[in-house]
C-alpha cells in the first residue's frame, strides 16, 4: 500500500488511466518542480514515502484502483529513464537496446501473469543478443519482435512512459519516430506511448518532421499542475511528520493559500514558517515575504524553468494584459497550472513577485 491517499492526483490519474484503458497515446505537460517524478513513482508503485516508512509496497494497487484488477494485470507500465542511455556509440542502437532492457526490467517486477518466467528468459536472451551484436538493425528488429511477442502471444498491453522527453523529442532521428509508429500500428490499442514534457510537442519540433507519430499524441494532452487542496494538506502533513514539527491550523492554511499547491513552494513556505515565528502582519505582507531568500529562491527556480514566451506572457498577465498572450502560450500555462481558468496565477505571492 502507498502512504499517499487514494485521492492523490485524481484529477490527473483519472483521465490518464482512461487514455491507457482505451489504448491511446498521449502527452503530459508540466512545469519544473511540480512533482512529475513523485507522480511517476506513485503510478509505478515506487512510493518513496512508503519505502521511507519501511512499508510493504503493492506495485499494482494504483493500476488496480483505476482499471480494476483484471484489466490491470494485463497492462505493463514501462518507465523509460533516458538517463540510463549511453551515447558514445550509435544513438538509435542505444535507444532500442534501452527500450528492450526496460521491458526486461518490467518483466522482472511482474508477479501477476502466468508463464512470466518463460517470458523473462526470452526477453533476457533477446537483450543479450542485441548487446553482443552492437547492430542498429538487429536492435530495432529484436525490439519489434519482443513487443509483438508480449502484445500478441501473451496478450499484454504495453504503455511506455518517457520521462523528461523534451530534448529527445527535439533531436531524435525522424525515422525512429516512423519506426515507433509502425510498431504501434502492428499492435494497435495494445501499445501506447506516453510522453512527459515541459513544452508542447509542436513547439519542440515541426509536426511535419514526424507527422505520423505526432498524430498519435497531438489530440490527447494532460496538464500536470499544482496539487489540489486535499493533496496539499496531505503533503503538509507528511512534512510535519518527516521534520517533526506540527503546524497549527492557521499556518497550514497560510502555506496552502500562498503556495497554490506547488510542491516546491509548499516545502519552501513550510521551512520558512517552521524556522520563523511570524506575526500576523508579516504573514499578510507580500512585499516583505517576497524578499525572503528561501521564498525568492523557489520563485527563481520556477521562473528559470519556464520558456521565454511563458515568462513574457506571465509579465503581461500579472499586469492585467491577458488579451495579448498567444493562444498556444496560454494553453501551455493553463496546462501546467501556472495560471487558472480565471486568468489569475496559481500563487498570489508568485504573482506579486512577478509584478514587483
Amino acid at each position: 500500500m502507498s502512504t499517499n491517499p487514494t485521492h492523490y492526483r485524481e484529477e490527473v490519474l483519472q483521465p490518464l488511466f482512461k487514455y491507457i484503458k482505451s489504448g491511446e497515446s498521449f502527452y503530459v505537460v508540466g512545469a519544473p518542480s511540480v512533482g512529475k517524478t513523485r507522480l511517476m513513482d506513485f503510478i509505478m508503485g515506487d512510493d518513496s514515502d512508503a519505502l521511507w516508512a519501511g512499508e510493504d509496497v503493492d506495485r499494482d494497487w494504483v493500476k488496480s484502483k483505476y482499471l480494476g484488477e483484471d484489466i490491470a494485470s494485463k497492462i505493463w507500465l514501462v518507465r523509460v529513464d533516458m538517463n540510463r542511455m549511453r551515447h558514445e556509440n550509435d544513438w538509435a542502437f542505444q535507444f532500442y537496446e534501452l527500450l528492450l532492457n526496460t521491458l526486461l526490467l518490467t518483466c522482472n517486477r511482474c508477479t501477476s501473469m502466468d508463464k512470466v518466467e518463460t517470458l523473462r528468459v526470452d526477453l533476457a536472451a533477446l537483450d543479450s543478443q542485441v548487446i553482443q551484436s552492437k547492430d542498429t538493425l538487429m536492435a530495432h528488429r529484436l525490439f519489434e519482435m519482443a513487443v509483438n511477442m508480449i502484445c500478441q502471444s501473451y496478450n499484454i498491453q504495453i504503455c511506455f512512459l518517457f520521462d523528461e522527453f523534451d530534448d529527445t523529442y527535439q533531436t531524435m532521428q525522424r525515422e525512429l519516430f516512423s519506426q515507433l509508429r509502425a510498431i504501434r500500428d502492428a499492435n494497435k490499442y495494445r501499445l501506447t506511448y506516453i510522453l512527459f514534457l515541459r513544452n508542447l510537442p509542436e513547439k519542440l519540433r515541426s509536426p511535419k518532421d514526424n507527422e505520423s507519430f505526432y498524430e498519435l499524441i497531438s489530440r490527447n494532452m494532460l496538464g500536470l499542475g499544482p496539487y489540489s487542496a486535499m493533496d496539499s494538506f496531505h503533503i503538509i502533513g507528511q512534512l510535519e511528520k518527516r521534520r517533526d514539527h506540527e503546524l497549527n491550523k492557521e499556518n497550514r492554511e497560510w502555506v496552502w493559500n500562498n503556495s497554490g499547491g506547488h510542491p516546491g513552494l509548499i516545502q519552501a513556505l513550510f521551512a520558512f514558517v517552521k524556522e520563523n515565528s511570524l506575526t500576523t502582519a508579516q504573514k499578510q505582507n507580500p512585499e516583505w515575504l517576497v524578499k525572503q531568500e528561501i521564498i525568492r529562491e523557489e520563485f527563481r527556480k520556477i521562473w528559470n524553468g519556464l520558456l521565454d514566451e511563458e515568462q513574457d506572457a506571465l509579465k503581461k498577465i500579472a499586469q492585467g494584459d491577458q488579451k495579448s498572450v498567444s493562444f498556444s502560450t496560454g494553453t501551455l500555462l493553463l496546462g501546467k497550472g501556472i495560471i487558472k481558468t480565471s486568468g489569475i496565477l496559481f500563487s498570489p505571492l508568485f504573482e506579486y513577485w512577478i509584478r514587483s
Side-chain angles (χ1 to χ4, degrees), residues 300-330:
R300 282 193 288 265
K301 287 180 186 175
I302 297 170
W303 185 257
N304 292 336
L306 297 172
L307 306 169
D308 290 344
E309 57 262 40
E310 290 176 308
Q311 294 177 354
D312 291 340
L314 286 178
K315 290 175 185 175
K316 293 174 182 176
I317 292 169
Q319 299 298 333
D321 180 19
Q322 290 176 256
K323 292 182 179 179
S324 61
V325 175
S326 71
F327 177 79
S328 61
T329 303

Side-chain angles (χ1 to χ4, degrees), residues 73 76 103-124 149-150 154 156:
S73 66
W76 279 11
L103 284 174
L104 174 59
L105 294 179
T106 304
C107 186
N108 288 339
R109 291 164 53 111
C110 184
T111 58
S112 58
M113 62 171 282
D114 297 329
K115 301 180 182 178
V116 67
E117 186 57 38
T118 302
L119 179 54
R120 184 182 292 119
V121 170
D122 289 342
L123 289 174
M149 176 176 64
I150 294 167
Y154 288 89
I156 293 169

Side-chain angles (χ1 to χ4, degrees), residues 9 33-35 225-227 235 239 259 261-268 298:
R9 287 291 196 185
S33 305
V34 81
Y227 289 130
I235 297 302
L239 288 171
S259 69
H262 187 280
L265 263 183
I266 288 175
Q267 294 200 47
E298 193 58 42

Side-chain angles (χ1 to χ4, degrees), residues 91 96 168-181 205-214:
W91 197 96
Y96 280 124
T168 301
Y169 192 87
Q170 278 184 307
T171 59
M172 191 164 79
Q173 298 101 305
R174 61 185 301 175
E175 60 267 23
L176 266 68
F177 281 109
S178 299
Q179 291 161 6
L180 289 176
R181 172 66 194 251
R205 186 181 194 128
S206 169
K208 295 179 181 178
D209 196 41
N210 61 346
E211 190 170 1
S212 63
F213 187 89
Y214 176 76

Side-chain angles (χ1 to χ4, degrees), residues 21 36 48 84 86 110 160 167 186 208 212 236 246 278 291 319 345 349 352:
K21 187 175 182 179
K36 278 186 286 186
S48 56
R84 293 182 58 228
R86 297 168 64 181
C110 184
F160 283 107
D167 289 344
K208 295 179 181 178
S212 63
I236 293 168
E246 186 174 348
L278 302 179
K291 293 177 181 177
Q319 299 298 333
L345 273 67
L349 271 185
Y352 188 92

Side-chain angles (χ1 to χ4, degrees), residues 252-319:
R252 282 193 204 104
E253 291 180 350
W254 180 84
V255 170
W256 151 244
N257 288 330
N258 286 282
S259 69
H262 187 280
L265 263 183
I266 288 175
Q267 294 200 47
L269 293 175
F270 179 92
F272 182 65
V273 78
K274 174 179 178 290
E275 297 300 327
N276 298 276
S277 298
L278 302 179
T279 66
T280 300
Q282 286 174 323
K283 285 189 287 188
Q284 294 176 354
N285 185 348
E287 183 179 2
W288 179 78
L289 288 168
V290 298
K291 293 177 181 177
Q292 306 310 305
E293 184 55 34
I294 191 171
I295 298 174
R296 289 169 63 89
E297 179 58 28
E298 193 58 42
F299 288 161
R300 282 193 288 265
K301 287 180 186 175
I302 297 170
W303 185 257
N304 292 336
L306 297 172
L307 306 169
D308 290 344
E309 57 262 40
E310 290 176 308
Q311 294 177 354
D312 291 340
L314 286 178
K315 290 175 185 175
K316 293 174 182 176
I317 292 169
Q319 299 298 333

Side-chain angles (χ1 to χ4, degrees), residues 227-246:
Y227 289 130
S228 67
M230 278 199 301
D231 284 344
S232 295
F233 285 117
H234 176 76
I235 297 302
I236 293 168
Q238 287 184 321
L239 288 171
E240 290 176 344
K241 290 179 183 177
R242 204 178 298 146
R243 302 188 187 182
D244 194 24
H245 182 85
E246 186 174 348

